[in-house]
Amino acid sequence: MNVKINREEIQFNDIEGIRIGQCQDAEAMTGVSVVIFDVENAGGIDISGGGPASRETHLLSPYTDTKSINALVLSGGSVFGLSASDGVLNYLENKKIGYQLGSQVIPLVVQSSIFDLTIGDSNIRPDAKMGYQACVDAENNVIPKSGSFGAGTGATVGKLLGMNRSQKSGIGYIAFKIGEIKIGAMVVVNAVGDILNYRTGEQVAGLVNNNRTRFMRTDEQFYNELPTGANTTLAAIFTNCKFSEAEMNKIAAMARSGLSRSISPVNTMADGDTIYAFSVGNEKADINVVGSLAANILSEAILKAISTSQCPDEIYLKSIIM
């Protein structure tokens, strides 16, 4: 007997226990997206790219002491943008949010950054001020915007043959409810590869020809041009289901299938692809079900990042740094 699964799209802030804030510099084309955790959580991570820019991600390893994370930071700026966490730490310390160690409160913050220094103003990177402001924005607990906002402000795709052959991308948020299970995905799509509709295989963004009139396939050009490490797709999965840290690491790994269905090529040495996964609730569910759903929802979030980040060529070409 076939059982129909009723999947209902919900707002991202319907997932209890997290608040999202964003800050961006539209002219410099870079920004920060912060997730503040209001509840105890268990986190995991899957790093499949060859060049991640990250901070404190080892806190999510099942081999380290298990502690609840206070904030997740995604940003532009490559390694320079990792200073955005300083502002998040200051914010959390001021709010007395963190791990109690003696008389001190130690906020636990993890971060990953994309390389967006070839668009906008490469001399302006996310800093502590921008990270702090993103936390202040999270106080409003509004529905986070997809597109060229936060960490997705300077995101681009299809960069193998240079920025003048690439396209604008951004950040995507999407969440669903299946019965009592809630799962959401946020993703900053900043890939060397092309973006595909995971349902049909059709290319929807990426490498274009010289006069920008049609798509080309990045994977077919790899034989002639080696990629450089100026790319990273960052994602985070959130669920109200109860899992351990080790199980969330497995769910993060399973969610990688969502990248594989939607980005081609992906997980290269020229990418810093990273997926976070967090349990923020107590619903009971099978890990295989949640991991599979996470992969599909991640693919949906990738499509949303593309569809909300369209930019006219004349404006886009003026913004890139050749």
Side-chain angles (χ1 to χ4, degrees):
M1 181 177 68
N2 293 325
V3 178
K4 184 178 180 180
I5 298 177
N6 184 21
R7 190 179 77 164
E8 172 192 358
E9 185 171 353
I10 59 176
Q11 301 295 350
F12 212 86
N13 56 358
D14 288 335
I15 301 176
E16 297 86 355
I18 59 173
R19 289 176 289 120
I20 295 175
Q22 301 193 111
C23 181
Q24 56 277 326
D25 185 324
E27 291 189 9
M29 300 194 74
T30 194
V32 179
S33 299
V34 173
V35 182
I36 304 292
F37 294 93
D38 294 325
V39 296
E40 292 290 311
N41 57 81
I45 190 170
D46 178 77
I47 300 175
S48 53
S54 58
R55 176 170 173 168
E56 293 276 61
T57 52
H58 61 282
L59 291 174
L60 300 174
S61 167
Y63 300 110
T64 59
D65 190 15
T66 300
K67 288 185 175 66
S68 194
I69 298 300
N70 302 118
L72 165 68
V73 183
L74 304 182
S75 81
S78 189
V79 294
F80 304 105
L82 294 175
S83 61
S85 279
D86 293 337
V88 179
L89 289 168
N90 291 338
Y91 175 89
L92 294 172
E93 184 181 25
N94 292 342
K95 298 289 184 179
K96 301 189 184 320
I97 298 172
Y99 169 59
Q100 194 73 38
L101 188 61
S103 62
Q104 300 295 317
V105 174
I106 311 297
L108 301 182
V109 178
V110 294
Q111 180 180 357
S112 291
S113 301
I114 67 166
F115 187 99
D116 58 2
L117 303 181
T118 51
I119 190 169
D121 187 341
S122 62
N123 294 311
I124 297 177
R125 298 89 175 243
D127 55 12
K129 182 179 179 180
M130 192 174 283
Y132 196 100
Q133 188 57 48
C135 292
V136 172
D137 184 58
E139 294 176 356
N140 301 316
N141 196 27
V142 298
I143 302 167
K145 293 182 179 180
S146 296
S148 293
F149 297 97
T153 305
T156 51
V157 294
K159 293 170 278 188
L160 181 68
L161 301 182
M163 289 297 292
N164 62 324
R165 303 276 294 274
S166 67
Q167 289 189 309
K168 187 70 184 71
S169 181
I171 192 168
Y173 295 91
I174 200 161
F176 289 94
K177 181 178 181 182
I178 304 95
E180 297 304 314
I181 297 173
K182 295 179 181 179
I183 304 179
M186 63 184 290
V187 60
V188 185
V189 186
N190 190 61
V192 68
D194 306 315
I195 310 305
L196 312 177
N197 183 323
Y198 78 104
R199 304 184 196 95
T200 65
E202 175 191 8
Q203 185 172 343
V204 295
L207 181 65
V208 295
N209 63 352
N210 272 320
N211 55 10
R212 303 181 66 83
T213 57
R214 63 180 177 83
F215 288 126
M216 297 181 66
R217 291 299 297 259
T218 296
D219 53 4
E220 295 175 358
Q221 300 298 317
F222 258 37
Y223 299 104
N224 304 315
E225 190 80 23
L226 292 176
T228 57
N231 322 275
T232 291
T233 294
L234 304 176
I237 304 294
F238 306 92
T239 180
N240 68 340
C241 298
K242 182 70 172 179
F243 291 108
S244 68
E245 189 174 79
E247 288 170 323
M248 291 313 299
N249 272 272
K250 178 60 177 176
I251 287 172
M254 292 180 70
R256 193 196 306 178
S257 297
L259 296 186
S260 301
R261 295 167 188 157
S262 302
I263 304 174
S264 178
V266 72
N267 304 152
T268 72
M269 295 299 285
D271 292 287
D273 300 339
T274 301
I275 301 173
Y276 294 87
F278 293 94
S279 164
V280 293
N282 293 294
E283 292 294 329
K284 293 183 179 180
D286 181 79
I287 187 173
N288 301 295
V289 172
V290 173
S292 297
L293 289 171
N296 286 342
I297 292 171
L298 179 51
S299 288
E300 296 274 5
I302 290 170
L303 286 178
K304 191 166 186 181
I306 297 300
S307 65
T308 56
S309 304
Q310 300 301 317
C311 182
D313 276 355
E314 60 271 20
I315 296 176
Y316 177 65
L317 292 173
K318 288 179 181 179
S319 70
I320 62 177
I321 301 171
M322 306 297 288

